[in-house]
Amino acid sequence: MNEVIEINEKEMKFLITNLLVTKVLFTFPRGLFQNSGNAAWIQVIYMGMIAWLMLEISFWLYRFSGKRSVIQLAECVGKKPLKIIVCLIVLLVVGVHMTIGMRAFSESVKIILLPKSRIEYILILFIITVSIGAACGISALAMINAMFFLFFTAAVTILVISLVPYFKLNNIFPVFGTDSKHIFVNGLNDLSLFSDVLTLNLLMPYCKDMNVIKKGGRNAIFLATAISTALVMAYGLCFPYPSSKEYIMAAYQLSRMVKAGEYFQRFEAFFEFVWSLTQLLHMSIYIWVVCDIIKNSFALANSKRLIPCVTATIGWMAFCTGSIGEMLTMSKTMIRCTYPIPYLLPVIMSLLYMAVRRRNPE
């Protein structure tokens, strides 16, 4: 590697939490409420527990496979062919989420901030901005994100507390929403809410030791579950079912309800600033991760030259998905086909590595 990269526990915790929580600010609450009704908050806790369990299984296996990412384990197990295959699988999973995130954010900016602007111009501006962010490197992004996330958490806390007068406890009934089966069985299709934990594995080689990875991952799951549950529950208490399943940006709808006196009537303006920075950091981190995967998988000397190409490709894919409605329908199918991969891939590769080591001990 051309640069020395080391991510500490605090940076890793907030970095993974950002990747997990950003989805709640955009498209995910709609799908949760469509599935579980106003019991979506129970589904979030349920999915958080499953994600934590899978993370603990991965941590136990890391004792045998060491501080290696799935890409590195694939090379140890099946040399370059398997390494490239695993790389392509990871890029597929990450690319789907990046495409959805880029299009959802651009559409949100158009609807809320720039209704008269063409979506193409917004996408181009977004591409340029995240390219510059990714070019700064993961060390700078992790440090900036760690500082900003405290501000983000404070904003979410203020938002939820300010909404208390608008809560209607009747909205929480029936407690299990549409049906307990929808929560605990059909709800597994929405496990992709926490699928960004795969990034924790991909960034392992840049951590000092396993304690950084374990503490950062556990704290990230806990924080993401707590923040997501608070936002989803607040949304459910403010909007009765079935109207709660109609809005695409649940958090934005909540911010529009907040008023504090005569001189502070537009809390959503503050919210727009917060979620814009959150999404820009989110996408910049992922662009860097994708370029790093490509660099390590194909033994390239530098990943910075890949940034414009990767960002432009994701932007082109986001633009070609048709309308926002078509994109959500298509993305729902693609996500449900790929959501088990982020949880199972680290486990499978670790098990394969252990089997190879037993057969051919050094």
Side-chain angles (χ1 to χ4, degrees):
M1 293 183 294
N2 296 328
E3 57 178 333
V4 178
I5 301 172
E6 185 174 303
I7 304 173
N8 61 40
E9 178 192 331
K10 179 182 177 182
E11 292 172 344
M12 180 62 78
K13 173 178 66 178
F14 290 130
L15 189 149
I16 301 300
T17 307
N18 177 315
L19 300 181
L20 295 173
V21 172
T22 301
K23 293 177 181 177
V24 181
L25 293 176
F26 290 93
T27 58
F28 250 85
R30 187 169 183 260
L32 295 175
F33 280 91
Q34 286 176 339
N35 180 67
S36 304
N38 277 18
W41 64 276
I42 298 178
Q43 186 180 339
V44 172
I45 296 174
Y46 173 59
M47 291 188 297
M49 293 175 64
I50 294 177
W52 169 78
L53 178 62
M54 294 302 299
L55 197 65
E56 290 299 327
I57 294 173
S58 299
F59 288 158
W60 183 79
L61 291 172
Y62 292 162
R63 296 190 307 166
F64 307 99
S65 59
K67 195 165 62 73
R68 297 181 177 90
S69 69
V70 290
I71 306 293
Q72 293 172 327
L73 289 176
E75 185 176 21
C76 295
V77 172
K79 305 302 179 183
K80 195 169 184 178
L82 183 60
K83 180 182 179 182
I84 293 175
I85 291 172
V86 171
C87 165
L88 294 175
I89 292 173
V90 172
L91 291 177
L92 172 65
V93 175
V94 173
V96 168
H97 289 287
M98 289 176 66
T99 303
I100 297 168
M102 186 171 286
R103 182 58 185 268
F105 176 74
S106 300
E107 290 284 355
S108 302
V109 169
K110 177 176 174 59
I111 294 169
I112 299 169
L113 297 175
L114 304 170
K116 295 183 180 180
S117 300
R118 292 174 61 88
I119 188 67
E120 296 93 329
Y121 300 151
I122 298 173
L123 269 172
I124 291 172
L125 182 61
F126 190 28
I127 288 170
I128 294 172
T129 306
V130 297
S131 295
I132 295 172
C136 294
I138 195 64
S139 297
L141 288 171
M143 182 177 63
I144 294 169
N145 182 74
M147 293 187 293
F148 171 74
F149 207 82
L150 297 174
F151 179 72
F152 168 81
T153 306
V156 171
T157 304
I158 294 170
L159 174 62
V160 173
I161 293 174
S162 301
L163 288 168
V164 172
Y166 303 96
F167 287 175
K168 296 180 180 178
L169 293 180
N170 289 336
N171 289 350
I172 206 171
F173 299 106
V175 175
F176 289 104
T178 52
D179 187 1
S180 58
K181 180 182 178 182
H182 284 83
I183 298 173
F184 300 112
V185 179
N186 298 348
L188 294 174
N189 291 324
D190 293 317
L191 264 175
S192 54
L193 177 64
F194 290 93
S195 62
D196 297 272
V197 293
L198 179 61
T199 310
L200 179 69
N201 179 281
L202 298 172
L203 293 176
M204 278 203 308
Y206 303 115
C207 296
K208 182 179 180 181
D209 52 45
M210 288 301 299
N211 287 329
V212 173
I213 299 164
K214 291 179 179 180
K215 290 181 180 179
R218 288 166 180 157
N219 290 334
I221 290 288
F222 173 78
L223 273 174
T225 303
I227 294 172
S228 301
T229 303
L231 284 171
V232 170
M233 178 177 278
Y235 180 69
L237 288 170
C238 289
F239 294 92
Y241 183 83
S243 62
S244 57
K245 68 178 184 179
E246 299 301 327
Y247 296 113
I248 294 178
M249 282 194 64
Y252 173 70
Q253 297 299 327
L254 292 176
S255 69
R256 296 185 63 187
M257 299 177 66
V258 176
K259 296 179 175 60
E262 183 179 352
Y263 300 102
F264 193 58
Q265 298 288 326
R266 296 293 301 274
F267 185 83
E268 70 265 25
F270 174 71
F271 173 78
E272 289 159 9
F273 170 74
V274 172
W275 64 252
S276 295
L277 285 181
T278 303
Q279 180 65 18
L280 290 172
L281 281 169
H282 175 97
M283 195 59 64
S284 296
I285 291 166
Y286 258 134
I287 292 295
W288 187 91
V289 169
V290 168
C291 293
D292 188 64
I293 292 171
I294 297 173
K295 183 194 77 171
N296 292 331
S297 299
F298 296 96
L300 303 178
N302 194 298
S303 62
K304 282 192 175 182
R305 295 178 182 178
L306 297 171
I307 291 174
C309 299
V310 169
T311 314
T313 301
I314 297 297
W316 175 78
M317 292 169 61
F319 177 72
C320 291
T321 51
S323 66
I324 184 66
E326 292 173 352
M327 185 209 71
L328 291 175
T329 302
M330 180 181 67
S331 63
K332 190 173 183 180
T333 302
M334 295 181 68
I335 287 173
R336 287 186 174 180
C337 292
T338 60
Y339 81 84
I341 296 175
Y343 300 102
L344 297 179
L345 191 59
V347 174
I348 292 171
M349 294 312 304
S350 295
L351 290 173
L352 289 175
Y353 176 79
M354 290 166 57
V356 170
R357 285 294 300 273
R358 286 181 180 180
R359 186 178 301 175
N360 303 306
E362 294 180 0

